[in-house]
Amino acid sequence: MAANTTEASELTDRVLVVERIFDAPRSLVFRAWIEPQHLFRWFGPRGYTVPSYTLDPRPGGGWRCCMVSPEGREHWVRGTFREVLEPERLAFTWAHENADRTLRHETLITVTFADLGEKTGLTLRQETFESIEARDDHRNGWSSAIERLAEHLATLN
């Protein structure tokens, strides 16, 4: 029994949850996640650019993105949409690509959008990482990207 408890605890340690309240309506925040004209402006950590982002936001549809670091290094990621419930919820897989386009470890991201009147509560959950270190790297990246999203949304209001 103790082994199962330890196993469950280790899995929980490899889950990332990021929460934020945006000063923007839920429909706009949702669209910022599925429309390229928004994604090009905020997606990725601060200092990164997004020269390529393609997506088909429907269950079974794919997405692929290139993020370029300030040093010029390309980071390709891609996945498949599992759920698109506008404007309430998105669920999609996430995996980094190797140079030969094979995928590394895959995680599931679920983003929920809570209607708070003129504001939106966002919860991002990404699971299950290979390690706590990988989770923490993504925490830093998502926290930075979510801040960029807030800045982008502020320009639209």
Side-chain angles (χ1 to χ4, degrees):
M1 189 117 164
N4 288 340
T5 303
T6 302
E7 213 170 275
S9 175
E10 288 174 0
L11 287 176
T12 302
D13 288 347
R14 293 184 288 132
V15 173
L16 170 63
V17 177
V18 177
E19 297 178 314
R20 174 75 186 243
I21 295 177
F22 294 99
D23 192 17
R26 178 167 72 161
S27 61
L28 177 58
V29 179
F30 185 90
R31 285 193 323 270
W33 282 81
I34 63 166
E35 294 179 357
Q37 69 267 24
H38 295 294
L39 290 159
F40 285 122
R41 298 187 183 280
W42 71 266
F43 200 80
R46 188 165 307 283
Y48 282 63
T49 59
V50 177
S52 176
Y53 203 121
T54 58
L55 70 159
D56 180 9
R58 62 179 175 81
W63 69 274
R64 186 169 185 249
C65 171
C66 177
M67 296 179 285
V68 180
S69 73
E71 299 78 32
R73 184 166 178 224
E74 290 186 356
H75 300 269
W76 286 91
V77 290
R78 68 177 161 161
T80 303
F81 285 96
R82 299 247 177 107
E83 185 177 7
V84 179
L85 182 58
E86 187 172 349
E88 300 170 18
R89 181 180 165 101
L90 289 173
F92 54 92
T93 60
W94 171 288
H96 289 271
E97 288 184 4
N98 294 311
D100 64 1
R101 291 191 68 172
T102 58
L103 297 178
R104 297 183 204 160
H105 181 76
E106 185 177 79
T107 59
L108 176 65
I109 296 176
T110 304
V111 185
T112 56
F113 305 84
D115 186 353
L116 306 175
E118 293 299 311
K119 297 179 186 270
T120 302
L122 180 138
T123 301
L124 179 144
R125 179 181 177 92
Q126 188 172 7
E127 58 191 319
T128 300
F129 289 96
E130 292 178 293
S131 67
I132 291 171
E133 294 77 20
R135 179 207 62 201
D136 290 347
D137 285 345
H138 277 253
R139 179 186 318 279
N140 293 335
W142 278 117
S143 295
S144 180
I146 296 296
E147 183 61 32
R148 291 180 67 197
L149 173 56
E151 293 165 4
H152 171 64
L153 292 169
T155 69
L156 303 175
N157 284 338

